């Protein structure tokens, strides 16, 4: 213990500069783990005599082969929390011991297979050891399994290169949005603006139902903030995405929407309101007949945001040093709506057609104030400028998707084709009123910006899958086409006080047009033998990008071909161990947000713009994982390494006049070495915990600027726990910590937390929930930034601490699932 304490102290106190942790940061880390450790140590419960068991074998429904490593969970009939779990061994066998007499159900799941539920398993003195025989689960090669939405699922499921977060079993997810849910998913970090990323990954892409969401909206954060949790089945965090997914992004977060429903009519309505002025309401319903089903939903939300912050920048030049002291405050109001409808039709027992559409709209209004102070070398303030800002915006997007599939049960062959058509637009009007408090002889300025953005896209896919080698292996082939069109029109006007009118600013007014075509093909082979699983794949993408400015500049990039190999090994052995290894190549393409050279001078001392000369960055990444599983716990440490060339990050310089310019650059090379720990523990039947910890060492090397040749540590961690309490009450909590490094600085440590309690009434139909978000204080962020001639420190706070109340009602008229009869008596 003494050695560990010394190591922790060394980490917290050694060295200088923004890349090392302060005592405050380390105190926050320690506090989080002390609290969580106390919760686990405090959990205890007396155990009754448990001498009953359930056993069986898990097999592939297509070829009859055993499925090793499948997760088997058992539930008491009326419980929402699983009592115990087990993994099938190399022969597909499983056994759950230490059970009491009673009525149970089990759920069997495995990555790439649709989950299977067995109901009404009775254990009694006359039948203490129940053998279910062979339970066959069906492969789902689309990775978008249609599970029975009323079945209970574990909140988290772990695989070698993917974590699955099942939304329906989380108390924190009720009455919330996709953004709220992502904050509770292990290995996922959500920043203050609602952008999600995966720990240890420089770039993360968000997919919805296997399709890239950046083809559906110009602002992904806005899209996720209006998508209700009741529409989401699960969230898949992929650290090594299969070749059927785009090669762009080092990791993928795939949000899977609900699709599978039991026969009959089912749905829910709910409303949520918070003390900070936020509210949302939603309604969802579905009807399923024998061969078809229809489902839909409506949602509306309002949000009130408050933010404050400060920036202190030191500017040092050979002949002088001066300082900027900036203070900001803002108040924003936004609303949004979502409407969804879908049709699922089994044309024949082997053919299926699914059509869905989704419409989102939103609007916002912001008022903010900026005070800019100029300090000379003696740190005496010589100028003070006040800036009042207003902003009004609205956006909408529409998506329609059609998917057709053929599944030959006899041969095991599958074919699917789909098309996604989307369009979205946004408009914003902003004004900036700048006036000097002193000296009084400096002239004021008034500027107004009007922007209109339109996006249109098409995503088309075709996929063929067939069994090989007596149905032991599988071969998958596919092709995809993506088209994206972006039109960004910016009009800037400055007020002429002499003529009392606005005049167009020709230097800042511009129109940016972007076109992207990507044609892709892929192939993968999955080999399985004696507990081994080896999957190798290759994906190629031909990219053609064109963009130009109304000012006359045109960029026709030469089409380029990229090849992305992907291979993974997995071995399950001795009934409790799993070892895996992966390797893949990924790409980070510059798109309109990073390429667009339109200048944003809303903060005239800190202007930003894109860089049309950016080139793609390629990353080679590999990891090794080792999982060990017990009756009540699992632990999966992972070591990952990645090297990227031409890394795209923001790069900041300060001119001699003190104006900071920030743009994107291919800054150089970045090597990451990561230690990632993921695990869960169930100390009692009613308490479950899960945790994640990442330690990431980053080394930057750049020929662009010697100030970019640096290294640092990033630390991220999360801990979640849930409890089933008496009287159909549940409690759940989550804590997150992040301290991240980048090429020019560090985002200092921040802690976020959320806690929720739920009470169920009326035979599980009525749900009441109270949710505490950041109860220990407002979310704060601190950023340190360094360059050759500047050093800055910024701090911000937002009104994330909130108490919300939710009320939901579920109605259902469905047929009961048939129970599996007991095995015949021999």
């Amino acid at each position: 213990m003494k050695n560990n304490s010394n190591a922790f102290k060394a980490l917290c106190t050694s060295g200088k500069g923004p890349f090392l942790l302060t005592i405050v940061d380390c105190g926050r880390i320690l506090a989080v783990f002390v609290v969580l450790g106390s919760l686990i140590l405090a959990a205890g419960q007396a155990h009754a005599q448990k001498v009953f068991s359930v056993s069986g074998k898990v097999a592939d429904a297509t070829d009859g082969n055993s499925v090793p490593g499948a997760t088997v969970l058992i539930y008491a009939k009326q419980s929402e929390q699983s009592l115990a779990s087990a993994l099938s061994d190399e022969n597909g066998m499983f056994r759950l011991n230490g059970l009491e007499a009673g009525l149970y159900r089990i759920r069997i799941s495995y990555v790439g297979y649709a989950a299977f539920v067995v109901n009404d398993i009775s254990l009694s003195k006359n039948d203490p050891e129940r053998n279910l025989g062979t339970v066959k689960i069906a492969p789902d090669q689309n990775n978008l399994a249609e599970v029975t939405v009323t079945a209970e699922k574990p909140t988290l499921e772990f695989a070698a290169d993917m974590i699955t977060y099942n939304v329906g079993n989380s108390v924190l997810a009720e009455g919330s949005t996709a953004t709220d849910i992502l904050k509770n998913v292990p290995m996922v970090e959500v920043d203050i603006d609602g952008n999600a990323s995966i720990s240890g990954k420089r770039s993360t892409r968000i997919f919805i139902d296997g399709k890239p969401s950046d083809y559906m909206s110009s602002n992904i954060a806005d899209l996720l903030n209006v998508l209700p949790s009741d529409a989401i089945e699960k969230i898949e965090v992929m650290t090594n995405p299969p070749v059927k997914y785009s090669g762009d992004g080092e990791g993928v977060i795939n949000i899977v929407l609900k699709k599978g429903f039991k026969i009959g009519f089912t749905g829910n309505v709910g409303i949520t309101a918070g003390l900070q002025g936020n509210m949302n309401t939603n309604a969802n319903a579905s009807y399923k007949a024998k061969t078809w089903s229809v489902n839909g939903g409506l949602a509306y939300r309002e949000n009130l945001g408050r933010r404050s912050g400060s920036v202190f920048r030191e500017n040092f030049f050979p002949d002088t040093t001066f300082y900027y002291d900036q203070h900001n405050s803002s108040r924003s109001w936004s609303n949004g709506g979502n409407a969804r409808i879908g049709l699922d039709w089994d044309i024949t027992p082997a053919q299926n057609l699914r059509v869905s559409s989704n419409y989102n709209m939103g609007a916002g209004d912001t008022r903010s104030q900026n005070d800019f102070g100029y300090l000379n070398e003696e740190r005496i303030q010589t100028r003070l400028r006040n800036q009042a800002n207003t902003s009004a915006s609205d956006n909408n997007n529409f998506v329609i998707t059609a998917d057709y599939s053929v599944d030959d049960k006899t041969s095991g062959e599958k074919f699917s084709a789909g098309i996604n058509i989307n369009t979205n637009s946004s408009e914003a009007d902003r004004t900036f009123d700048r006036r000097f408090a002193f000296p009084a002889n400096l002239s004021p300025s008034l500027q107004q910006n009007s922007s209109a953005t339109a996006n249109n896209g098409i995503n088309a896919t075709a996929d063929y899958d067939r069994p090989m080698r007596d149905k032991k292996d599988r071969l998958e082939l596919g092709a995809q086409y993506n088209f994206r069109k972006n039109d960004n029109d910016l009009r800037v006007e400055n007020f002429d006080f002499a003529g009392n009118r606005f005049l167009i600013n020709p230097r800042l007014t511009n129109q940016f047009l972007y076109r992207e075509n990507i044609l892709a093909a892929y192939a993968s082979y999955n080999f399985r033998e004696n507990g081994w699983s080896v999957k190798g794949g290759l994906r190629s993408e031909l990219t053609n990008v064109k963009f130009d400015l109304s000012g006359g500049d045109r960029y026709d990039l030469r089409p380029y071909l990229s090849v992305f190999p992907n291979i993974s090994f997995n071995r399950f052995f001795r009934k409790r161990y799993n070892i895996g290894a992966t390797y893949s190549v990924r790409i980070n393409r510059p798109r309109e947000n990073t390429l667009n050279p339109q200048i944003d001078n809303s903060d005239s001392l800190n202007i930003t713009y894109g860089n049309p000369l950016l080139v793609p960055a390629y990353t080679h990444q590999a990891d090794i994982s080792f999982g060990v599983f017990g009756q009540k716990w699992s632990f999966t440490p992972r070591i990952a390494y990645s090297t990227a060339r031409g890394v795209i990050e923001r790069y900041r310089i300060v001119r001699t006049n003190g104006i900071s310019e920030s743009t994107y650059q291919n800054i150089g090379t970045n090597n990451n070495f990561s230690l990632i720990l993921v695990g869960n523990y169930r100390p009692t039947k009613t308490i479950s915990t899960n945790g994640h910890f990442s330690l990431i060492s980053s080394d930057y090397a750049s020929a662009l600027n010697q100030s970019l040749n640096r290294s640092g540590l990033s630390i991220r961690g999360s801990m979640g726990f849930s409890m089933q309490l008496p009287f159909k009450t549940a409690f759940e909590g989550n804590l997150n910590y992040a301290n991240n490094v980048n090429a020019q600085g560090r985002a200092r440590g921040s802690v976020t937390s959320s806690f929720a309690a739920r009470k169920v009434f009326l035979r599980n139909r009525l749900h009441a929930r109270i949710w505490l978000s950041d109860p220990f204080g407002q979310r704060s962020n601190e950023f340190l930034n360094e360059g050759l001639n500047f050093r800055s420190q910024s701090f911000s706070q937002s009104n994330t601490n909130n108490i919300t109340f939710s009320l939901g009602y579920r109605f259902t008229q469905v047929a009961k699932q048939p129970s599996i009869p007991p095995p015949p008596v021999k």
Side-chain angles (χ1 to χ4, degrees):
M1 181 67 184
K2 182 177 180 180
N3 292 336
N4 292 338
S5 175
N6 292 337
F8 184 79
K9 181 178 179 182
L11 174 65
C12 297
T13 59
S14 60
K16 299 179 180 180
F19 290 87
L20 298 171
L21 305 177
T22 66
I23 296 296
V24 174
D25 295 327
C26 295
R28 288 172 174 170
I29 302 172
L30 189 58
V32 169
F33 286 99
V34 167
V35 171
L36 297 171
S38 299
L39 289 170
I40 295 174
L41 292 175
Q45 183 172 343
H47 295 272
Q49 185 180 9
K50 304 170 185 177
V51 295
F52 301 90
S53 67
V54 175
S55 61
K57 178 180 180 180
V58 183
D60 189 310
T62 303
D63 53 29
N65 289 324
S66 60
V67 179
T71 301
V72 184
L73 296 109
I74 189 163
Y75 301 80
K77 184 177 181 180
Q78 299 298 329
S79 174
E80 298 183 11
Q81 181 76 41
S82 60
L83 301 176
S85 64
L87 292 175
S88 58
D89 62 19
E90 57 267 31
N91 299 314
M93 306 299 294
F94 69 88
R95 188 179 185 88
L96 296 158
N97 295 313
L99 301 172
E100 301 174 7
L103 199 60
Y104 297 89
R105 70 181 182 281
I106 68 167
R107 180 182 184 273
I108 302 173
S109 62
Y110 188 70
V111 176
Y113 287 78
F116 191 87
V117 178
V118 182
N119 287 315
D120 298 334
I121 303 171
S122 177
L123 296 178
S124 63
K125 293 181 179 180
N126 296 328
D127 190 10
E129 297 183 0
R130 180 72 183 275
N131 189 329
L132 301 178
T134 299
V135 180
K136 295 184 177 181
I137 59 176
D140 179 19
Q141 297 301 314
N142 290 326
N143 252 344
L144 299 174
E146 291 188 19
V147 301
T148 304
V149 298
T150 55
E152 302 297 340
K153 299 174 284 291
T155 303
L156 289 170
E157 295 179 275
F158 301 93
D161 51 7
M162 185 167 73
I163 293 176
T164 300
Y165 184 88
N166 293 301
V167 173
N169 208 36
S170 171
V171 179
L172 288 168
E174 290 188 10
S176 59
T177 66
T179 301
D180 299 322
I181 298 171
L182 287 169
K183 295 176 183 178
N184 302 312
V185 179
M187 292 188 65
V188 174
E189 181 182 352
V190 181
D191 66 18
I192 199 169
D193 296 314
N195 301 304
S197 61
I198 300 175
S199 293
K201 303 296 183 182
R202 281 168 290 258
S203 59
T204 300
R205 292 192 75 189
I206 308 296
F207 281 63
I208 297 178
D209 278 345
K211 299 175 177 62
S213 64
D214 47 13
Y215 283 80
M216 304 177 190
S217 175
S218 58
N219 191 323
I220 299 172
D222 287 344
L223 177 65
L224 299 179
N225 200 35
V226 77
L227 184 63
S229 61
D230 286 319
I232 302 173
E233 176 67 33
K234 59 185 176 181
I235 295 175
E236 299 170 331
V237 181
M238 304 179 186
T239 55
N240 181 42
V243 293
K244 71 182 304 174
Y245 286 87
S246 167
D248 209 341
E250 295 182 11
V252 166
I253 298 174
N254 184 39
I255 300 174
V256 181
L257 303 182
K258 291 179 179 178
K259 305 177 193 69
F261 302 92
K262 289 184 179 181
I263 292 177
F265 181 66
T266 183
N268 66 280
V269 293
I271 186 169
T272 298
L275 299 184
Q276 291 280 10
N278 62 301
M279 65 83 64
N280 69 71
T281 182
N282 67 87
N284 304 275
S286 69
Y287 178 80
K288 180 174 176 59
K290 185 176 180 180
T291 60
W292 61 273
S293 67
V294 62
N295 65 85
L298 295 171
Y300 176 79
R301 57 96 183 165
E302 289 186 3
N303 189 63
L304 181 64
R306 300 180 185 87
R307 187 180 298 186
S308 61
S310 62
V311 181
F312 188 84
R313 172 154 55 93
E314 178 183 6
N315 311 284
F316 36 89
F317 296 93
D319 57 340
T320 186
T321 298
F322 57 93
Y323 309 88
Y324 281 134
D325 187 15
Q326 179 178 342
H327 296 268
N328 313 308
S329 63
S330 67
R331 179 185 175 93
S332 62
W333 173 86
S334 63
N335 69 352
N338 171 269
R340 308 171 310 282
I341 188 169
L343 171 67
D344 196 312
W345 178 29
D346 292 328
I347 306 171
T348 69
Q351 300 180 76
N352 176 267
L353 176 65
R354 179 178 297 148
V355 181
S356 64
S357 65
N358 194 314
Y359 176 74
N360 298 287
M361 57 77 64
D365 187 87
T366 302
R367 300 287 186 270
S368 62
Q369 176 75 28
N370 309 112
D371 299 319
F372 301 90
Y374 174 88
L375 287 70
N376 61 19
E377 196 163 7
E378 289 75 30
R379 297 204 177 195
I380 299 173
Q381 190 174 78
T382 59
R383 291 199 304 268
L384 176 61
R385 192 190 75 191
N386 306 125
Q387 177 174 318
N389 313 299
T390 64
S391 174
S393 63
D394 63 80
N395 62 84
N396 63 83
N397 72 282
F398 177 75
V399 181
I400 185 168
T401 302
D403 293 295
Y404 171 78
S405 62
V406 180
D407 185 356
D408 189 330
K409 305 294 184 182
T410 303
S411 65
E413 293 180 90
K414 297 181 180 180
F415 172 78
S416 63
I419 186 169
N420 172 286
I421 301 174
N422 54 83
T423 178
N424 66 81
S425 62
S426 62
E427 295 182 354
D429 295 308
R430 299 185 294 168
T431 61
F432 314 105
D433 188 357
R434 307 178 178 108
R435 301 178 185 272
F436 284 90
F438 67 87
N441 60 340
L442 295 178
S443 302
S445 68
L446 179 61
Q447 176 180 319
Q448 62 182 21
N449 292 11
S450 299
S451 62
T453 303
N455 287 285
N456 297 285
I458 298 175
N459 174 272
T461 62
D463 184 89
Y464 173 72
D465 185 298
R466 65 167 298 170
M468 306 288 290
R469 213 165 60 93
D470 295 328
K471 298 185 177 181
K472 292 182 178 180
D473 305 341
R474 301 200 73 88
L475 172 69
E476 185 175 15
L477 305 171
Q480 296 176 351
Y481 171 70
N482 292 318
F483 167 76
R484 181 174 172 84
K485 174 184 176 183
N486 174 269
D487 184 348
N488 193 321
D489 194 358
L490 175 64
R491 178 187 177 94
V492 179
E493 297 176 310
N494 296 108
F495 190 72
D496 177 11
F497 288 90
N500 196 31
R501 58 178 179 171
F502 278 99
L503 299 177
I504 294 178
N505 186 327
R507 186 176 68 90
L508 299 181
T509 298
N510 221 321
Q511 185 177 17
F512 180 76
L513 303 172
Y514 177 86
R515 306 290 184 274
E516 177 185 88
N517 290 272
I518 301 177
L519 182 63
Y522 60 87
S524 68
Y525 192 89
N526 191 0
F527 170 85
R528 293 189 302 165
E529 187 74 40
N530 296 327
W532 279 97
S533 176
V534 181
K535 189 170 186 177
L538 190 68
R539 181 184 179 93
S540 62
E541 295 181 351
L542 179 63
T543 305
N544 186 9
V545 172
K546 297 181 180 181
F547 56 95
D548 59 82
L549 297 171
S550 59
D553 296 327
R554 182 177 180 85
Y555 301 85
D556 291 332
L557 304 184
R558 180 179 298 177
Y560 58 93
L561 180 68
S562 304
V563 179
F564 307 101
N566 184 304
I567 188 168
S568 63
F569 300 86
N570 195 67
R571 166 67 169 162
F572 186 81
F573 59 98
R574 293 187 180 179
K575 300 183 180 182
R576 59 179 303 181
Y577 301 107
N578 186 81
I579 188 168
T582 68
Y583 167 78
S584 62
V585 176
R586 310 291 295 175
I587 188 175
N588 183 14
R589 290 186 181 89
R591 287 192 163 90
E592 64 272 20
N593 292 334
T594 54
L595 295 169
N596 188 351
Q598 291 175 345
I599 296 173
D600 181 0
N601 72 333
S602 55
D603 180 347
S604 59
L605 297 180
N606 300 279
I607 65 174
T608 62
Y609 49 86
N611 180 3
L613 301 180
L614 291 174
V615 297
Y618 289 90
T619 299
H620 294 256
Q621 56 186 24
D623 65 50
I624 298 175
S625 63
F626 179 79
V628 57
F629 307 88
Q631 186 74 14
K632 296 182 178 181
W633 57 273
S634 69
F635 179 59
T636 307
R638 175 180 297 158
I639 297 175
Y641 174 78
S642 67
T643 179
R645 301 292 183 267
V647 175
I648 300 174
E649 284 194 16
R650 276 203 174 275
Y651 175 66
R652 188 180 187 184
I653 59 174
V654 174
R655 303 296 184 185
T656 55
N657 59 3
I659 294 179
S660 163
E661 296 185 12
S662 177
T663 187
Y664 292 94
Q665 292 281 4
N666 293 107
I667 60 170
T669 300
N670 176 231
N671 297 316
N672 275 358
F673 184 82
S674 307
L675 172 64
I676 302 170
L677 309 176
V678 181
N680 61 17
Y681 174 55
R682 190 186 306 275
T684 73
K685 294 189 299 182
T686 58
I687 298 177
S688 176
T689 66
N690 65 81
H692 150 254
F693 175 80
S694 299
L695 182 65
I696 305 160
S697 173
S698 296
D699 292 296
Y700 288 90
S702 175
L704 181 68
N705 192 310
Q706 66 179 12
S707 67
L708 299 175
N709 296 324
R710 56 179 69 193
S711 61
L713 288 175
S714 296
I715 295 179
R716 302 178 186 178
S718 67
M719 193 73 180
F721 59 94
S722 62
M723 302 180 185
Q724 292 294 319
L725 303 174
F727 308 109
K728 294 187 177 180
T729 304
F731 178 76
E732 188 172 330
N734 188 275
L735 295 171
N736 294 276
Y737 175 84
N739 190 315
N740 300 319
V741 69
N742 57 43
Q744 279 194 295
R746 170 180 293 281
R748 278 278 179 85
S750 63
V751 177
T752 61
S753 59
S754 56
F755 304 91
R758 179 186 64 194
K759 170 68 175 171
V760 179
F761 305 90
L762 302 179
R763 297 182 179 180
N764 294 336
R765 292 182 179 181
L766 183 64
H767 291 230
R769 187 196 69 156
I770 181 171
W771 179 21
L772 282 70
S773 174
D774 289 329
F776 307 120
Q778 300 185 82
R779 179 172 181 177
S780 61
N781 292 273
E782 185 178 358
F783 300 92
L784 302 178
N785 204 236
E786 273 189 331
L788 286 177
N789 61 351
F790 76 92
R791 183 183 300 112
S792 73
Q793 182 174 4
S794 61
F795 177 81
S796 66
Q797 275 190 327
S798 58
N799 64 324
T800 56
N801 56 323
N802 196 9
I803 301 176
T804 60
F805 304 89
S806 298
L807 196 64
Y809 182 79
R810 297 176 180 176
F811 51 90
T812 179
Q813 296 179 1
V814 299
K816 293 184 178 180
Q817 289 191 32
S819 303
I820 289 185
V825 179
K826 297 182 180 179

